[in-house]
Amino acid sequence: MDALYTAVATATHGRDGRAVTSDGKLDLGLSAPVELGGNGEGTNPEQLFAAGYAACFGSALGLVGRAAKVDVSDAAVTAEVGIGKQGEGFALAVTLRVELPDTVDRETGRKLVEQAHQVCPYSNATRGNVPVELVIE
């Protein structure tokens, strides 16, 4: 793959530190969620992953929608990223909830969401590694 863009971010002190992008546009404190024993006062990696996946999937949906000449510009994507124990380590699971405009019929919407799942870089990165459930609302 020839990268069209490369994002660079540095995190210090793991879940209880800070994450900063090389351009300084993202600079935030991190903390583990209360459910994982943290104080929950900062952002956690699962929230960042969820935000990135939701935005990326929304862009992929727009791409396939334009190709099909279907207006999905008012669609909303909510990504739910769960973390839990798996063996000695941890694993992630994702649910993508896609709210389509009322003007898009159910069958067309389902096809577009499935096509978006094939072209979205986050979906391609997780395929075979992280279970991803697609829910059309």
Side-chain angles (χ1 to χ4, degrees):
M1 173 200 78
D2 289 326
L4 301 173
Y5 168 76
T6 300
V8 179
T10 302
T12 56
H13 304 289
R15 289 179 175 275
D16 293 313
R18 185 153 215 86
V20 181
T21 56
S22 60
D23 62 6
K25 291 182 181 177
L26 179 87
D27 183 347
L28 46 84
L30 301 172
S31 66
V34 172
E35 296 84 350
L36 296 180
N39 64 21
E41 292 179 7
T43 300
N44 64 65
E46 292 72 36
Q47 290 171 319
L48 295 170
F49 186 71
Y53 203 160
C56 190
F57 197 89
S59 291
L61 183 61
L63 178 75
V64 299
R66 285 188 298 281
K69 298 187 178 3
V70 177
D71 183 7
V72 292
S73 58
D74 288 335
V77 179
T78 300
E80 300 170 2
V81 176
I83 184 171
K85 290 285 284 175
Q86 180 175 308
E88 295 298 313
F90 292 87
L92 301 175
V94 176
T95 299
L96 294 175
R97 297 188 184 279
V98 183
E99 186 178 339
L100 295 167
D102 292 339
T103 55
V104 179
D105 68 84
R106 190 105 175 126
E107 182 61 19
T108 300
R110 184 189 59 75
K111 287 179 183 175
L112 292 175
V113 167
E114 289 175 359
Q115 289 173 348
H117 192 45
Q118 295 305 307
V119 300
C120 174
Y122 277 66
S123 292
N124 288 329
T126 58
R127 189 168 288 111
N129 300 309
V130 174
V132 177
E133 178 185 6
L134 301 174
V135 178
I136 301 170
E137 299 182 328

